[in-house]
Amino acid sequence: MRNRLAILTVAALLPLSGVAASVAVAGQAQAVTIGPVTVTGTVEDCNDGSSPDSVTIKAGTESKTDNSLAGNSNSYSVTFKKIAKNATVTAKATVTCESEETYKQNFPLKGSPSTDPVKRKQNLEP
């Protein structure tokens, strides 16, 4: 009777250890390093003539903002770290001007083909 109980216990635990191993392997697969994607460019003044104040770009699950435009040049730079390798996402840029007017522009943004950083130039205008 003891042998039968031992065999049943081992038979019940083996599938569980296989599931745990599968979960561990899946967790390791998601830990792959992704190359950062930096978007830079210039921002045009708004239609009402006011200067740009900030640029916010949403790409995939990330949203990045550059607030350094006020009083400076019209150049911006944001870096994304969660765009999957070789994936193409639609980046949605919103420029906010001093007058609170906004304008939007969409563009495709491709993830790095490796762990190397990627730089993309995208000028924004109303």
Side-chain angles (χ1 to χ4, degrees):
M1 182 70 172
R2 284 186 203 173
N3 287 341
R4 204 178 289 172
L5 183 58
I7 290 171
L8 290 174
T9 302
V10 169
L13 292 177
L14 280 177
L16 292 177
S17 64
V19 169
S22 296
V23 170
V25 170
Q28 290 173 353
Q30 292 176 351
V32 174
T33 303
I34 299 170
V37 178
T38 300
V39 182
T40 62
T42 59
V43 181
E44 293 293 321
D45 287 344
C46 289
N47 287 329
D48 66 0
S50 66
S51 297
D53 218 11
S54 66
V55 174
T56 299
I57 301 178
K58 181 174 176 28
T61 61
E62 291 179 277
S63 183
K64 301 291 182 177
T65 300
D66 184 336
N67 290 314
S68 67
L69 300 175
N72 293 326
S73 70
N74 286 7
S75 298
Y76 76 94
S77 178
V78 293
T79 301
F80 297 94
K81 297 180 181 175
K82 296 180 182 175
I83 298 175
K85 181 178 175 181
N86 286 324
T88 300
V89 299
T90 298
K92 299 176 181 183
T94 302
V95 177
T96 304
C97 294
E98 290 173 348
S99 65
E100 300 301 318
E101 178 186 347
T102 63
Y103 63 87
K104 299 175 188 255
Q105 184 175 329
N106 296 341
F107 56 92
L109 188 58
K110 186 167 182 159
S112 175
S114 65
T115 58
D116 294 333
V118 169
K119 290 190 178 184
R120 160 81 189 266
K121 184 170 184 174
Q122 182 67 44
N123 296 330
L124 303 173
E125 56 189 44

Coordinates of all heavy atoms in Angstrom, one line a residue, residues 2 11 17 24 26 32 37 40 68-69 76 78 97 100:
R2 N 2.0 1.2 0.7 CA 2.9 2.4 0.8 C 3.5 2.6 -0.6 O 3.6 3.8 -1.0 CB 4.0 2.1 1.8 CG 3.6 2.3 3.2 CD 4.8 2.2 4.1 NE 4.3 1.8 5.4 CZ 5.1 1.5 6.4 NH1 6.4 1.6 6.2 NH2 4.6 1.2 7.6
A11 N 3.5 10.6 -9.3 CA 2.8 10.8 -10.6 C 2.0 12.2 -10.5 O 1.9 12.8 -11.5 CB 1.8 9.7 -10.8
S17 N 5.8 20.0 -11.7 CA 7.2 20.4 -11.9 C 7.4 20.8 -13.3 O 8.1 21.7 -13.6 CB 8.2 19.4 -11.4 OG 8.1 18.2 -12.2
A24 N 9.0 29.2 -15.7 CA 10.3 29.7 -15.6 C 10.9 30.1 -16.9 O 11.5 31.1 -17.1 CB 11.2 28.8 -14.8
A26 N 9.3 30.7 -19.8 CA 8.6 31.8 -20.3 C 9.0 33.1 -19.7 O 9.1 34.1 -20.4 CB 7.1 31.6 -20.1
V32 N 14.3 39.5 -22.5 CA 15.2 39.8 -23.6 C 15.5 41.3 -23.6 O 14.5 42.1 -23.5 CB 14.6 39.4 -24.9 CG1 15.5 39.8 -26.1 CG2 14.5 37.9 -24.9
V37 N 14.9 53.2 -28.6 CA 14.6 53.9 -29.9 C 14.5 55.4 -29.5 O 13.6 55.7 -28.7 CB 13.3 53.4 -30.5 CG1 13.0 54.2 -31.8 CG2 13.5 51.9 -30.9
T40 N 14.1 62.2 -32.4 CA 14.5 63.6 -32.3 C 13.9 64.3 -33.5 O 13.6 63.7 -34.5 CB 16.0 63.7 -32.3 OG1 16.5 63.2 -33.5 CG2 16.7 63.0 -31.2
S68 N 11.3 70.6 -22.6 CA 12.4 71.6 -22.6 C 12.3 72.5 -23.8 O 13.2 73.3 -24.1 CB 13.7 70.8 -22.8 OG 13.8 70.1 -24.0
L69 N 11.1 72.6 -24.5 CA 11.0 73.5 -25.6 C 10.8 74.9 -25.2 O 11.2 75.8 -26.0 CB 9.8 73.0 -26.5 CG 9.9 71.6 -27.0 CD1 8.7 71.2 -27.8 CD2 11.1 71.5 -28.0
Y76 N 13.5 68.6 -30.0 CA 13.0 67.7 -29.0 C 13.7 66.4 -29.1 O 14.3 66.1 -30.2 CB 11.5 67.5 -29.0 CG 11.1 66.6 -30.1 CD1 10.9 65.3 -29.9 CD2 10.9 67.1 -31.4 CE1 10.5 64.4 -30.9 CE2 10.5 66.3 -32.5 CZ 10.3 64.9 -32.2 OH 9.9 64.1 -33.2
V78 N 13.1 62.2 -27.3 CA 12.5 61.3 -26.4 C 13.0 59.9 -26.7 O 13.3 59.6 -27.9 CB 10.9 61.3 -26.4 CG1 10.4 62.6 -25.9 CG2 10.4 61.0 -27.8
C97 N 1.3 74.1 -27.3 CA 1.9 75.4 -27.4 C 1.7 76.3 -26.2 O 0.8 75.9 -25.4 CB 1.4 76.1 -28.7 SG 1.9 75.2 -30.2
E100 N -1.8 77.1 -25.2 CA -2.6 75.9 -24.9 C -3.1 75.2 -26.2 O -3.8 74.2 -26.1 CB -3.7 76.1 -23.9 CG -3.1 76.6 -22.6 CD -2.2 75.7 -21.9 OE1 -2.4 74.5 -21.9 OE2 -1.2 76.2 -21.3

